[in-house]
Amino acid sequence: MASLIDNLKSWFAPPAPQAVRNQGYYLTGEVFGESLPMAGLPALNERGALAISAVYAAVNLISGTIATMPVQVYARQADGERDRRPNDDLWWILNEEMTPRWNAAAGWEHLGQSLLLRGDAFLRIRRNPVGRVLGLEPLAYDRVRPVVQPPGDRLIYEISPDPLLPSRAAGKLEVIDQDDMIHVPGFGFNGLQGLSPLRHALRLAAPVASAMQDYSARFFSNGARPDFVLSTDQSVSAQTVAELKAQIQENHAGVGRAHRPMVLSNGLKVAPLQLPHDEMQLIESRKFAVEEIARIYGVPPFMIGHNEKTTSWGSGVEAMGVGFVRYTLRQHLNKIETELNRKLIRGPRKVLAFDTTDLERADFKTLLEGFRIALGRAGEPAFMTVEEVRERLSLKRQPETPFPTLSPAQPDPASAPDPQTDGAA
């Protein structure tokens, strides 16, 4: 563990921002690339970062949750009200099939993974000759390079050939206008690109977690680790020591050979070598690495399997769902919605928005109690119709039902006065 700490004392400084000339355009901002290396630690790329369990869990949680939420198409009315339009052509593209090669759920997951690891996500807009949207094509981060177009108020995008296609079908470098590209930037967008988590927030945390993960694997897989020392009062030659080491390595190294009895001769004695746990702190360090990565992504540790500490978000699925949407997802959803609306809609007639109702929905009993109040309980004024309640519950549509008129509460027959008794009195 000491060597691991020593490796963290020296690390490279990031390169200074620079400008790159390319075909008459100029590119500004940070250099494109992977996470910078550090002394004694691996330089992690996207696959290396996903090999860390905490990074994988956080990225999978956020991007997977985005993929589960439907993107609704609403028509804007003159009075500001919005009506859902499930039969709109864009609804099918955003919720079912982006292109024949990409279903919508896989496309949103790809977008989330690129955004959370590389700092930018790209969807190419496919249009017909008259400008109608035919589909959205998810693009790998490495294939796209945003370029500032003079005089500097617009971007163009250079798209390299698809490496998954055969060389004869991959095509050539393409350049498209920003109106044909959904570009969702991450935190720190400078007008060209967002900050890459691999190069910034994860630059130190991810390699440390990876090194500790590898160290743990080697530590527990090596059954011949120095848990004991052999000593003798006799003189032992170097050849005898080498033969003894080879014998121990052959008979006791590895998990399958651990705990075998050791036969000693020539007066050798075994003395246990105690390693205090407070000096190693391997498990505690790995727990801290999980918490650090969860903090980077804004994910409560318990949501990625770190249950040592209780959450302060309250108890129950409702409180956890609302907190996760409000403090983590909403930052990403707003950026995606804004980019979709300004590139696909560009007008006041329609609006696209993620539906977070399922994530923020209360338990069924509390939900029904809330709808009961909305429909007018005990003579209180109603502010929802039965049809609106059924829509919230995803039930079959029925003819429009007006606000229900509830009859006044009737007295309990058992407590009503007896007419004969009243007459007798």
Side-chain angles (χ1 to χ4, degrees):
M1 198 63 181
S3 60
L4 177 62
I5 300 300
D6 294 337
N7 287 334
L8 302 180
K9 295 181 178 179
S10 174
W11 44 290
F12 295 119
Q18 56 180 291
V20 180
R21 293 275 181 180
N22 182 56
Q23 298 180 357
Y25 305 104
Y26 58 92
L27 170 68
T28 60
E30 63 182 10
V31 178
F32 288 78
E34 303 291 353
S35 177
L36 297 177
M38 288 175 288
L41 293 175
L44 294 182
N45 55 17
E46 186 173 344
R47 291 184 177 273
L50 289 176
I52 303 171
S53 60
V55 175
Y56 184 96
V59 172
N60 181 59
L61 174 66
I62 297 175
S63 60
T65 305
I66 293 175
T68 62
M69 291 184 294
V71 183
Q72 302 294 0
V73 183
Y74 297 95
R76 284 175 171 169
Q77 305 297 333
D79 57 359
E81 294 292 330
R82 300 191 307 181
D83 293 332
R84 194 168 63 179
R85 300 179 58 179
N87 296 326
D88 194 283
D89 292 340
L90 284 177
W91 187 94
W92 176 264
I93 295 173
L94 297 172
N95 294 279
E96 297 295 340
E97 182 181 274
M98 289 188 174
T99 65
R101 182 175 166 186
W102 286 86
N103 67 62
W108 289 122
E109 280 191 341
H110 182 275
L111 180 143
Q113 177 182 334
S114 180
L115 179 63
L116 295 170
L117 292 176
R118 313 302 292 269
D120 294 272
F122 303 98
L123 298 174
R124 181 177 183 176
I125 305 173
R126 294 289 186 177
R127 304 180 189 270
N128 65 6
V130 298
R132 180 183 175 185
V133 179
L134 300 178
L136 300 175
E137 179 187 358
L139 298 176
Y141 174 89
D142 295 329
R143 292 183 57 200
V144 183
R145 188 173 70 165
V147 180
V148 179
Q149 185 178 15
D153 57 347
R154 292 183 64 84
L155 297 176
I156 61 172
Y157 296 86
E158 295 181 353
I159 305 176
S160 62
D162 190 346
L164 300 179
L165 293 177
S167 57
R168 62 180 182 275
K172 300 179 180 180
L173 180 71
E174 297 181 76
V175 178
I176 66 173
D177 186 75
Q178 69 174 26
D179 289 340
D180 292 323
M181 178 71 75
I182 299 294
H183 177 190
V184 182
F187 170 76
F189 181 66
N190 60 0
L192 180 71
Q193 62 184 140
L195 294 177
S196 169
L198 280 178
R199 292 174 54 83
H200 293 86
L202 293 174
R203 180 170 176 260
L204 182 61
V208 169
S210 178
M212 285 192 293
Q213 192 166 277
D214 293 341
Y215 181 85
S216 299
R218 291 192 299 269
F219 181 83
F220 289 107
S221 64
N222 184 12
R225 62 185 184 274
D227 289 337
F228 57 89
V229 61
L230 301 179
S231 62
T232 179
D233 297 333
Q234 303 179 12
S235 177
V236 182
S237 64
Q239 180 180 359
T240 302
V241 173
E243 293 175 352
L244 183 60
K245 287 181 179 180
Q247 181 182 0
I248 295 176
Q249 182 71 22
E250 179 181 358
N251 296 329
H252 301 281
V255 178
R257 300 183 181 91
H259 309 298
R260 286 183 175 181
M262 182 179 294
V263 179
L264 302 176
S265 60
N266 298 327
L268 289 173
K269 301 178 181 179
V270 178
L273 184 62
Q274 299 293 336
L275 296 178
H277 291 289
D278 57 348
E279 294 182 8
M280 297 191 63
Q281 297 181 346
L282 178 61
I283 297 179
E284 289 77 8
S285 298
R286 293 200 64 187
K287 290 179 180 179
F288 175 78
V290 173
E291 295 176 1
E292 188 173 20
I293 292 173
R295 180 166 54 250
I296 289 172
Y297 283 110
V299 175
F302 74 92
M303 297 192 78
I304 58 174
H306 187 71
N307 299 320
E308 181 179 350
K309 298 180 181 179
T310 58
T311 173
S312 58
W313 279 5
S315 59
V317 176
E318 178 187 7
M320 291 186 293
V322 172
F324 181 59
V325 172
R326 181 178 301 169
Y327 301 114
T328 301
L329 285 181
R330 182 49 61 189
Q331 173 189 1
H332 307 297
L333 298 183
N334 284 350
K335 293 179 181 179
I336 299 173
E337 292 171 354
T338 301
E339 187 71 358
L340 291 176
N341 282 299
R342 82 185 190 108
K343 297 292 181 65
L344 301 181
I345 304 299
R346 298 188 67 85
R349 294 180 299 174
K350 293 191 297 185
V351 63
L352 305 175
F354 283 93
D355 188 353
T356 61
T357 303
D358 287 343
L359 294 179
E360 299 175 290
R361 178 173 291 180
D363 62 272
F364 194 65
K365 180 179 179 181
T366 305
L367 185 67
L368 292 183
E369 181 66 21
F371 285 144
R372 183 184 177 192
I373 297 173
L375 291 172
R377 178 184 61 178
E380 298 175 355
F383 58 88
M384 289 183 69
T385 65
V386 174
E387 178 59 27
E388 289 173 336
V389 172
R390 293 181 63 86
E391 184 178 356
R392 290 293 186 92
L393 294 173
S394 300
L395 299 177
K396 184 178 179 180
R397 294 181 63 87
Q398 291 183 343
E400 182 65 24
T401 304
F403 290 107
T405 302
L406 302 180
S407 59
Q410 300 296 328
D412 186 358
S415 60
D418 188 350
Q420 296 183 357
T421 303
D422 291 346

